[in-house]
Amino acid sequence: MRISAVVLACSLAVSAVAQKPSTAPPTVAEAKAFLDRANAALLKAATDGSHAEWLAETYINEDSEATTALLNEQSSKLSLDLIAESHRFDKLTLPAEMRRQMMLLQVGAPAAPHDPKLLAEETKLAASLTGAYGKGTYCDAAGKCMSVDDVDTFMAKTRDANELTKVWVGWHSVGAPMRKDYQRFVELQNIGAKEQGYKDTGDLWRAGYDMTPAQFSAEVNRAWAQLEPLYRELHTYVRHRLIAKYGAAADRKDGMIPAQLLGNTWAQEWGNIYDVVAPADPKLSQYRPVNLEDKLQWAIADKNKDAAAVFTCIRTKKQGYVSGVLPEACMTANSDEYYSGQLAAAKAMVKYGESFFTSLGFQPLPKTFWERSQFVHPRDRDVVCHASAWDVDQVDDLRVKMCIEVNDDYFTTVHHELGHNFYGRAYNQQPMIFRNGANDGFHEAIGDAIALSITPAYLKQIGLTDSEPPAEADIPLQLRTALDKIAFLPFALALDTWRWQVFSGEIKPADYNKAWWQLREKYQGVAPPVERSEADFDPGAKMHVPANVPYVRYFLARIYQFQFYKAMCDASGYKGPLNRCSFYGSKAAGDKLNTMLMAGQSQPWQQTLKTMTGSDHLDAGPMMDYFAPLYHWLKQQNAAAK
């Protein structure tokens, strides 16, 4: 999910920081003056660039791509110039806060070459790759085309193995045309990384965690070792249930799960197939997760007549009552009435997320948030629908860019994205270089820690369910949660391991796709539904690869969120099983959270984490505690199935 980063500039900002080199020994006063100039220039650059990127993602065309490419080029030039100037102060003894700003400025640099021609080439490729993904569609033999959101919905709800295979193959064809450009993009990034003293771009990416790249890799692998036994039990259980459902289509001799059967375009989260893998024991199967899609539709419709009309139309179509002439309630999808209803429903979804944060003591979102955000897909143009949060002016111009549907997944996604927004606003008084998460995993974890508090007790509090289930219902609820939270971890690890090895040269361009699936099989135990070759480029079918967004942050976030969640549960005074805690309405939990958010990146993340949780390292212990009942149950189920 995208946060506006300190990566953009305009020519004014570049000229504003241009300074004649000095041969005199540097002083602390000069270092302070330099940092003041750098922070001001980076703030202006980030704001200008965010405006341009917003247009590039909400008005996809050649002009917006060209504008973004130009600003990114100027941004990279600004960053490289600032880094070059900052090295003048490398040996000067500075106050800790100033030294940290210098360090973050240097490790936060883009992997961009100094040569102006190469820099221009790289930024154009970056814009082109992002645009290619945003415009990507799959069209079947009859000419019916599907966007990535349409594909997501199809993969989530369809239970025909052959149809799932067709659509999976169709969407993954989006990546193939990117392959040559991506290879060149990697080459250019590595040139820039090496010019800055790093082995490669992957080394540069891993340098920003207040530890060496090698130490960071070890931290990640240690956490995965804590969690892998739980994942393997989940994988075994899900595979058995899929074979029971699909027969030979799911039963591979190598023990892999066919990727198209897991309810997600990329097989990264499996919650959409809960209906297939739910416990068969009647004592447990009677308990099902709350059907939030229906509950939300009824709750929103009760307060908004425009949304009610859209929901009536959707339900009518689902029930198969539409034939010939649509009923009056079923206005056409392009009509003003339908769009108005969609927009009202989407805003109502976001209101639920905002209300959770305000219950903790945070101020409501600004008026401009509701005026400037993209909540639904516009009717008249291509946009990047992938959910993202924005802080355009790095102060209070908060926005989300989404194409919201009223369902369980978007209910959680809304809470996630708003976590970025509230985090950004909390640290907006820090110097610009510190206006970031303690590390990028923190930014991703905040909203998800809040979403863990979406328990039956919370849903009852806000009127989306009438009762809390008994303790024996925890297994079905935990299974549904694990299908997303646990299943995701090896996907995230495989994706960035692939990129790190691509950047280092361990994976050669001729083996891009082969290595991609080797890593997916190693970490996830999943395989493509059909044979793949080097004519394919399946990594390109995942947005974060063409958009060049580091992905290990999401691995970190899945673990941090349970550490944060436990800390806020403890602060709220909750006593009981961790998975049943909701700190909704707890000002004490909100105060603890806000203290962490306000620090931004002003201190090492280990220090910020310890203040919040009492631990100074990535620790999967709270996650394992949360899922302990499920882990025990899965081992029983798998032993019985042998």
Side-chain angles (χ1 to χ4, degrees):
M1 287 114 208
R2 185 198 175 282
I3 309 296
S4 301
V6 187
V7 293
L8 297 159
C10 63
S11 56
L12 178 60
V14 174
S15 63
V17 298
Q19 300 288 312
K20 292 182 179 180
S22 173
T23 57
T27 65
V28 173
E30 288 177 318
K32 183 179 184 307
F34 164 74
L35 287 172
D36 288 345
R37 285 190 287 106
N39 277 298
L42 290 169
L43 175 58
K44 180 176 180 359
T47 302
D48 292 345
S50 291
H51 282 297
E53 282 200 43
W54 179 265
L55 286 176
E57 295 198 18
T58 59
Y59 288 83
I60 300 175
N61 56 45
E62 292 78 6
D63 293 325
S64 61
E65 282 187 16
T67 301
T68 302
L70 175 62
L71 285 169
N72 276 330
E73 181 181 343
Q74 293 173 341
S75 160
S76 295
K77 176 69 164 58
L78 170 64
S79 295
L80 294 172
D81 286 349
L82 289 172
I83 290 168
E85 188 175 354
S86 75
H87 285 303
R88 179 169 177 252
F89 307 101
D90 283 350
K91 296 182 180 180
L92 180 65
T93 300
L94 294 172
E97 179 183 350
M98 292 174 63
R99 176 53 63 198
R100 181 165 181 79
Q101 288 192 58
M102 294 287 188
M103 182 273 291
L104 290 175
L105 178 62
Q106 292 173 5
V107 302
H114 285 80
D115 183 283
K117 290 183 179 179
L118 296 181
L119 177 58
E121 182 185 0
E122 184 196 76
T123 53
K124 288 176 183 176
L125 283 173
S128 175
L129 286 165
T130 300
Y133 183 90
K135 292 181 284 192
T137 58
Y138 157 60
C139 300
D140 63 20
K144 180 182 178 182
C145 295
M146 303 170 71
S147 68
V148 65
D149 281 339
D150 297 329
V151 171
D152 280 348
T153 301
F154 185 90
M155 300 300 290
K157 298 186 176 182
T158 300
R159 298 294 177 260
D160 182 309
N162 290 330
E163 292 301 314
L164 286 167
T165 297
K166 288 179 185 177
V167 173
W168 187 98
V169 171
W171 173 255
H172 280 74
S173 67
V174 167
M178 304 176 189
R179 185 186 181 107
K180 184 178 178 181
D181 283 349
Y182 187 77
Q183 178 182 341
R184 178 58 178 162
F185 186 55
V186 167
E187 293 170 357
L188 292 168
Q189 286 192 95
N190 274 343
I191 291 172
K194 289 174 182 177
E195 287 175 349
Q196 295 176 46
Y198 296 94
K199 294 178 182 177
D200 55 68
T201 303
D203 205 47
L204 172 59
W205 282 6
R206 296 192 300 277
Y209 289 95
D210 293 299
M211 54 176 61
T212 67
Q215 289 171 331
F216 176 71
S217 294
E219 178 94 343
V220 168
N221 289 327
R222 180 186 51 76
W224 172 238
Q226 286 181 277
L227 291 160
E228 187 175 9
L230 172 56
Y231 175 76
R232 295 302 170 192
E233 295 292 344
L234 181 66
H235 180 280
T236 298
Y237 172 81
V238 168
R239 180 172 178 269
H240 286 322
R241 297 305 302 273
L242 288 173
I243 291 171
K245 169 72 173 177
Y246 293 107
D251 191 5
R252 290 177 57 105
K253 293 180 180 180
D254 58 8
M256 299 294 131
I257 297 177
Q260 83 278 18
L261 302 180
L262 288 165
N264 177 270
T265 307
W266 308 278
Q268 67 182 51
E269 293 171 321
W270 306 346
N272 291 321
I273 60 164
Y274 178 80
D275 61 300
V276 177
V277 304
D281 183 346
K283 293 180 181 178
L284 297 178
S285 61
Q286 64 177 308
Y287 301 113
R288 295 181 176 273
V290 175
N291 185 339
L292 275 182
E293 184 170 336
D294 284 348
K295 295 287 187 180
L296 285 164
Q297 285 188 9
W298 287 112
I300 293 170
D302 189 51
K303 298 176 182 177
N304 189 286
K305 64 180 182 179
D306 291 336
V310 171
F311 296 146
T312 299
C313 180
I314 292 171
R315 284 193 293 270
T316 300
K317 289 180 177 179
K318 282 183 178 178
Q319 293 164 3
Y321 295 146
V322 179
S323 60
V325 180
L326 291 174
E328 183 178 345
C330 286
M331 72 289 288
T332 61
N334 253 350
S335 68
D336 291 343
E337 294 86 354
Y338 195 92
Y339 182 79
S340 177
Q342 279 187 311
L343 184 59
K347 287 185 175 182
M349 288 278 283
V350 178
K351 276 291 183 183
Y352 278 111
E354 180 193 40
S355 294
F356 200 115
F357 282 93
T358 57
S359 84
L360 302 180
F362 290 88
Q363 291 299 306
L365 293 162
K367 181 172 179 284
T368 53
F369 172 88
W370 303 100
E371 297 168 345
R372 298 171 183 173
S373 291
Q374 173 190 293
F375 297 107
V376 297
H377 198 300
R379 293 173 289 173
D380 60 346
R381 63 187 185 273
D382 289 328
V383 297
V384 176
C385 270
H386 188 90
S388 56
W390 299 63
D391 185 358
V392 174
D393 66 354
Q394 311 299 312
V395 181
D396 207 34
D397 188 356
L398 307 175
R399 308 179 192 181
V400 291
K401 178 189 61 59
M402 304 172 68
C403 299
I404 297 172
E405 298 176 25
V406 178
N407 59 37
D408 302 49
D409 286 344
Y410 272 102
F411 191 71
T412 300
T413 299
V414 161
H415 287 77
H416 173 94
E417 296 303 336
L418 292 188
H420 291 304
N421 292 131
F422 282 96
Y423 200 169
R425 186 165 65 177
Y427 57 58
N428 67 13
Q429 297 304 304
Q430 294 282 357
M432 183 60 191
I433 293 173
F434 289 158
R435 291 187 199 178
N436 210 337
N439 67 40
D440 52 9
F442 276 59
H443 236 304
E444 299 300 333
I446 299 304
D448 283 347
I450 298 296
L452 286 172
S453 205
I454 302 175
T455 61
Y458 163 65
L459 296 175
K460 183 180 178 182
Q461 279 183 279
I462 63 174
L464 290 179
T465 188
D466 298 325
S467 60
E468 283 186 67
E472 53 264 34
D474 285 357
I475 293 301
L477 294 174
Q478 284 208 312
L479 177 60
R480 175 61 181 83
T481 303
L483 289 169
D484 284 341
K485 300 288 187 183
I486 301 298
F488 175 82
L489 293 165
F491 173 80
L493 196 53
L495 193 156
D496 259 5
T497 298
W498 179 83
R499 281 197 290 199
W500 296 340
Q501 292 180 4
V502 165
F503 288 135
S504 72
E506 182 177 345
I507 295 174
K508 307 299 182 187
D511 296 321
Y512 275 174
N513 222 50
K514 175 184 175 182
W516 171 256
W517 284 108
Q518 287 176 334
L519 288 167
R520 298 286 301 277
E521 291 175 8
K522 173 184 175 181
Y523 287 106
Q524 276 190 286
V526 304
V530 298
E531 287 295 322
R532 309 301 281 167
S533 73
E534 294 306 322
D536 304 304
F537 184 56
D538 294 327
K542 176 62 180 171
M543 185 277 290
H544 297 75
V545 173
N548 204 42
V549 178
Y551 209 72
V552 75
R553 63 183 63 174
Y554 304 112
F555 178 91
L556 301 176
R558 291 294 164 109
I559 300 173
Y560 286 145
Q561 65 188 254
F562 286 88
Q563 294 182 259
F564 299 163
Y565 172 68
K566 184 179 185 303
M568 287 186 278
C569 287
D570 291 345
S572 73
Y574 172 79
K575 305 293 182 185
L578 184 58
N579 61 290
R580 285 185 158 247
C581 165
S582 178
F583 45 80
Y584 176 74
S586 170
K587 298 298 191 293
D591 288 344
K592 193 170 189 66
L593 176 61
N594 194 47
T595 297
M596 180 175 75
L597 303 186
M598 289 176 66
Q601 206 172 7
S602 62
Q603 59 192 16
W605 65 265
Q606 295 91 334
Q607 184 177 340
T608 301
L609 181 65
K610 189 168 186 177
T611 300
M612 177 71 172
T613 70
S615 172
D616 64 357
H617 61 276
L618 183 67
D619 180 17
M623 195 174 197
M624 291 297 288
D625 288 346
Y626 182 96
F627 287 110
L630 177 68
Y631 187 27
H632 178 71
W633 182 82
L634 286 171
K635 287 191 286 187
Q636 288 181 324
Q637 298 300 302
N638 293 334
K642 288 181 179 178

